[in-house]
Amino acid sequence: SQQGEEDPQALSIQEGENATMNCSYKTSINNLQWYRQNSGRGLVHLILIRSNEREKHSGRLRVTLDTSKKSSSLLITASRAADTASYFCATDHGGSQGNLIFGKGTKLSVKP
Amino acid sequence: SQTIHQWPATLVQPVGSPLSLECTVEGTSNPNLYWYRQAAGRGLQLLFYSVGIGQISSEVPQNLSASRPQDRQFILSSKKLLLSDSGFYLCAWSKQIYNEQFFGPGTRLTVL
């Protein structure tokens, strides 16, 4: 079945650096979403980008979507130690169900 | 504003015992409701979703079941737990399909 796959699986950077995470999927979608999960907690929605959008910003977050390559990227600029978390992309089926399929996530560690 | 509650937060159960996890949503009506399971270091696996009272769709055949006795109440159950049922269970809601999902704090289940 269709699945978003994040890359890399783990990323370690210094505070102040930018962090880029990528997501690839297999079939057409209506939208792609990014979520954040702190250890042992529920997921928090970050941003939703629709299939007819190419780029979206929210604060220090920048998301791009390339439907021709079936890929998306999440950029966190000027990272902070508090950004340490796992980040997941989620795609829908592209049909009428609308249920989300989550990837395995990228574990981001930002060192002070 | 909308809030989502899950309980208990943690649970340790012996193999073969029953299970009941409860999720309730406040501040909205007729939400779509979801149960996910997250194994350690893995992505989310959708278990059940519901678009209305008494309407349950199962994504993964297993010894778990779900019920929606009220509009904003979603219950995950099992008659006999297996070791493989251990994991982090997350409840989520969304207003419409394709929209962002809002997650509860999760229940950590350990089956011994």
Side-chain angles (χ1 to χ4, degrees):
Chain A
S1 63
Q2 169 186 338
Q3 182 180 28
E5 292 283 350
E6 293 89 348
D7 169 59
Q9 290 186 345
L11 180 62
S12 182
I13 59 174
Q14 293 295 130
E15 209 166 27
E17 294 180 339
N18 295 341
T20 299
M21 289 159 272
N22 303 296
C23 171
S24 60
Y25 56 93
K26 296 178 183 176
T27 63
S28 63
I29 59 173
N30 292 294
N31 66 55
L32 184 145
Q33 303 180 37
W34 284 92
Y35 289 79
R36 166 198 168 121
Q37 183 182 33
N38 285 45
S39 181
R41 307 291 294 274
L43 277 72
V44 175
H45 179 264
L46 295 177
I47 201 163
L48 180 153
I49 186 166
R50 304 193 187 284
S51 59
N52 61 354
E53 296 176 310
R54 292 296 168 260
E55 188 171 312
K56 207 162 182 180
H57 297 255
S58 177
R60 293 184 294 111
L61 305 181
R62 173 179 167 246
V63 168
T64 62
L65 179 64
D66 187 335
T67 53
S68 66
K69 295 181 180 178
K70 293 186 172 59
S71 67
S72 173
S73 67
L74 169 67
L75 168 68
I76 303 174
T77 59
S79 63
R80 306 166 182 168
D83 294 328
T84 295
S86 291
Y87 292 82
F88 296 88
C89 71
T91 56
D92 59 77
H93 287 256
S96 60
Q97 270 189 321
N99 294 326
L100 298 180
I101 300 177
F102 287 81
K104 295 179 182 179
T106 292
K107 193 167 185 177
L108 174 66
S109 176
V110 182
K111 299 179 180 179
Chain B
S1 63
Q2 301 89 2
T3 55
I4 179 169
H5 304 278
Q6 276 186 253
W7 64 92
T10 60
L11 192 58
V12 180
Q13 292 284 97
V15 168
S17 64
L19 172 74
S20 181
L21 302 181
E22 189 163 344
C23 170
T24 59
V25 180
E26 295 177 356
T28 189
S29 60
N30 197 30
N32 295 321
L33 296 171
Y34 310 86
W35 276 113
Y36 292 91
R37 177 169 60 201
Q38 184 178 31
R42 302 292 300 276
L44 275 69
Q45 179 187 38
L46 179 63
L47 302 175
F48 301 95
Y49 67 95
S50 171
V51 299
I53 296 175
Q55 300 178 62
I56 308 294
S57 296
S58 174
E59 289 290 302
V60 182
Q62 55 203 322
N63 69 320
L64 299 172
S65 63
S67 62
R68 185 170 176 174
Q70 300 180 43
D71 180 46
R72 291 169 291 173
Q73 184 185 28
F74 206 22
I75 298 171
L76 182 69
S77 305
S78 173
K79 292 182 180 178
K80 287 186 177 182
L81 284 169
L82 307 173
L83 286 173
S84 57
D85 291 325
S86 292
F88 192 48
Y89 288 81
L90 289 158
C91 180
W93 74 274
S94 68
K95 190 56 183 171
Q96 297 175 353
I97 61 172
Y98 309 127
N99 281 17
E100 60 265 43
Q101 294 184 10
F102 301 93
F103 285 79
T107 295
R108 175 77 58 192
L109 173 65
T110 302
V111 182
L112 302 175

